[in-house]
Every structure is written in structure tokens, then in C-alpha cells.
Amino acid sequence: MKDKENYRYAVEMENISKIYTLKRKDKAKKKTQFYALKDISFKIEKGDVVGILGTNGSGKSTLSLILSGISDHDGGKMIVRGEQALISINTGLNPQLTGEENINVKGALMGFSKKRIQEIKDSVIDFAELGDFLYQPVKKYSSGMKSRLGFSISLALNPDVFIVDEALSVGDKGFAQKCMKRMMKLRDEEEKTIFFISHSLSQVRSFCKTGMWIEGGKLVEIGDIETVCDHYSEYVDQYNAMSEKEKKKFLAQKFEKRIINEPIKKSFLERILG
């Protein structure tokens, strides 16, 4: 009975942590490590659309990399039921290869037949609207064109879980609207599970069902999208109302709590925070 109950969840995380190491200018032997994520736990039902909120450096992109299987976690347990794909600028694209070659490599790595790879290619050609640029090296693409290619490939692969990390923040508005329309179809008709990271609160409110707020590497809140968005918006407004001096102090204190192995020098902390 418990197994049947758990199967309703597309993704389960239990005490997931990720540790990064900071480079030091002074070349000290003792390296500074900090938590990018610490003890993240949640369960997301199949077909849910989750808006991930958080300020810059909060751990959203790290979470997206772990969810997609691109990055390993350093502690905890994660279960993803089904195939997952990350849609993010540059992620999974080889800049030296053409768009077409990237599709071929992706398909080969996944063990697809030549026929299936051609089907994916036809789908990308139809959706991405890249024209002859599909046969040019990706390193010559604009950020918007990279987003088009990555988004179109992920759509063609048709995974069970989509992780969209700021992929619609670049390029022209017309293509972004086309992508949103396609994702709404994935949500409403195909019941795909979608994790959606965006700095646009209006976009998150209109598209997502569940809100997840990550701050300082920790899960602050998860629940109804409107409630979480309201709380996050209040937090951002309070931060923006601070003076520059207050902001620097606030960020320093927040980051210091994430340090693992040593008291961090003030000068070094100021350099990291800019």
C-alpha cells in the first residue's frame, strides 16, 4: 500500500544537500566549502507544475541540475519516476558542434535508432524556427537561439519531468509565447510534471500550481502558488527597501551561515559577494 501511495509522486527529495568549494586568491591550503543546498525535502505529485522562487545565489539552478541528473548531490536521497530533461541556455549543448550534430549526439547517447533521431530532428526543425542556423556551430548562436534549440530538443524527447531554468528569459517574445503555449498543453493535456524557474512572478503565478521558495540554500516554503508568491514578494520588497550598506551586511550574514569548515575573512566575503 505504501509503494502505491509513493508512486503518485513524480519526484521525492529527502534531506538533499550539495556542497561547493570556493577558490581562494591567497591559495590557502585550507579550502572554503559552503552549502549550495542543505537538507532539501519535498514530494511532488505527477502532473504538478512547480514554480521555484529565490533570489540570485539562493540555490535554484543547483537544484535544477540535481533534479535533471546532471549534477550529483552530496547527501540525502532523491527518486525521480520517469525520464527528466533540463531546459536551460547552453546546458547539454556542445558549442563546437552544429545544431544538427547536437541532436544526433543526444539521440545516440540515449540509444535512439536513426529513425527516432530523424523524428526528433524534424520536430526541432518545425518548432525551433532556426532555418539554416541549425547547420551552423552552436558557438555562433545568440543566447536566444541556444534557448530555442535546447527547448525544442527537450520537447521532442518528450520526458516525463521537465525542468525549465530561465529558458524563456532570452530571445524574442513571440517565441517565448509559443513555448509557454506548448508548456500549457503539456500541463493541461499531457499532465507532465514541470519545475519552472523564473524571476517573473506574474509568469510563475499564471502558469504554476505549487510554489517552492529556496533561499540561502534552504527550503523556506512550499505550498499554494499564490501564498508562496505573496510571501516571497514581501521578502524581496523588504530587501529592496534596505540601504546599500544594509544589503551588504544582510547578504554577508546570510552567506556566512552557509560556510562549513572555517570562519571566513571579511575581505574574502566581500569579494565573493561583490
Side-chain angles (χ1 to χ4, degrees):
M1 188 71 181
K2 187 176 180 181
D3 289 339
K4 288 183 179 180
E5 175 71 14
N6 287 338
Y7 192 71
R8 61 190 264 221
Y9 298 110
V11 178
E12 296 181 59
M13 278 195 174
E14 184 178 346
N15 298 322
I16 290 291
S17 294
K18 179 68 178 179
I19 297 170
Y20 286 141
T21 300
L22 296 171
K23 294 181 179 179
R24 299 285 295 264
K25 272 187 177 180
D26 54 18
K27 297 181 180 179
K29 291 183 179 180
K30 192 173 184 180
K31 296 179 180 179
T32 299
Q33 293 183 311
F34 75 101
Y35 282 106
L37 295 173
K38 186 175 182 180
D39 297 330
I40 304 292
S41 297
F42 58 78
K43 292 181 179 182
I44 300 300
E45 293 189 3
K46 292 180 179 179
D48 200 353
V49 182
V50 184
I52 302 179
L53 304 169
T55 55
N56 290 332
S58 60
K60 303 187 302 299
S61 290
T62 298
L63 180 62
S64 72
L65 291 172
I66 293 174
L67 281 168
S68 63
I70 293 173
S71 179
D72 291 330
H73 47 84
D74 295 310
K77 179 182 178 182
M78 180 176 75
I79 298 172
V80 178
R81 294 182 173 89
E83 296 292 331
Q84 73 267 52
L86 173 63
I87 305 175
S88 178
I89 303 167
N90 290 329
T91 302
L93 299 177
N94 186 324
Q96 303 304 320
L97 301 180
T98 67
E100 181 186 35
E101 289 168 340
N102 268 284
I103 297 169
N104 291 335
V105 169
K106 181 74 172 178
L109 288 173
M110 296 187 73
F112 292 156
S113 65
K114 288 184 179 180
K115 182 181 178 181
R116 177 68 181 116
I117 293 173
Q118 186 58 51
E119 289 172 353
I120 292 171
K121 197 180 302 182
D122 291 342
S123 178
V124 171
I125 290 171
D126 180 59
F127 193 86
E129 302 173 4
L130 287 171
D132 290 339
F133 275 100
L134 186 68
Y135 312 104
Q136 298 297 318
V138 169
K139 64 183 179 182
K140 295 184 178 180
Y141 285 20
S142 66
S143 57
M145 291 166 66
K146 291 174 186 174
S147 179
R148 282 177 178 238
L149 179 61
F151 200 101
S152 301
I153 291 174
S154 294
L155 284 177
L157 293 174
N158 195 31
D160 303 290
V161 180
F162 284 87
I163 302 104
V164 185
D165 187 356
E166 293 290 348
L168 304 184
S169 62
V170 296
D172 62 89
K173 290 183 179 179
F175 187 74
Q177 289 172 351
K178 180 180 180 180
C179 292
M180 281 301 300
K181 186 176 180 180
R182 183 68 180 90
M183 286 199 298
M184 286 177 180
K185 185 177 180 181
L186 292 172
R187 178 193 67 184
D188 300 335
E189 298 179 22
E190 301 179 35
E191 295 186 340
K192 297 288 186 179
T193 305
I194 304 172
F195 291 87
F196 187 69
I197 300 172
S198 174
H199 283 292
S200 171
L201 270 182
S202 59
Q203 203 174 55
V204 171
R205 285 182 191 270
S206 64
F207 179 61
C208 303
K209 303 175 186 177
T210 298
M212 183 187 299
W213 177 11
I214 304 289
E215 200 65 47
K218 294 183 178 182
L219 178 60
V220 177
E221 185 178 11
I222 184 168
D224 170 71
I225 188 63
E226 291 296 336
T227 302
V228 176
C229 280
D230 286 347
H231 293 166
Y232 174 69
S233 181
E234 289 172 10
Y235 173 84
V236 172
D237 288 343
Q238 289 172 3
Y239 173 77
N240 289 334
M242 295 180 184
S243 66
E244 289 304 312
K245 186 177 180 180
E246 288 172 332
K247 286 180 181 178
K248 282 188 176 182
K249 183 179 179 181
F250 176 76
L251 290 175
Q253 290 173 340
K254 186 167 70 170
F255 189 78
E256 203 162 6
K257 292 176 182 178
R258 301 169 77 172
I259 299 298
I260 297 170
N261 62 338
E262 66 171 309
I264 192 163
K265 292 181 180 179
K266 184 178 179 182
S267 59
F268 176 62
L269 189 58
E270 288 176 345
R271 178 170 65 82
I272 292 297
L273 295 174

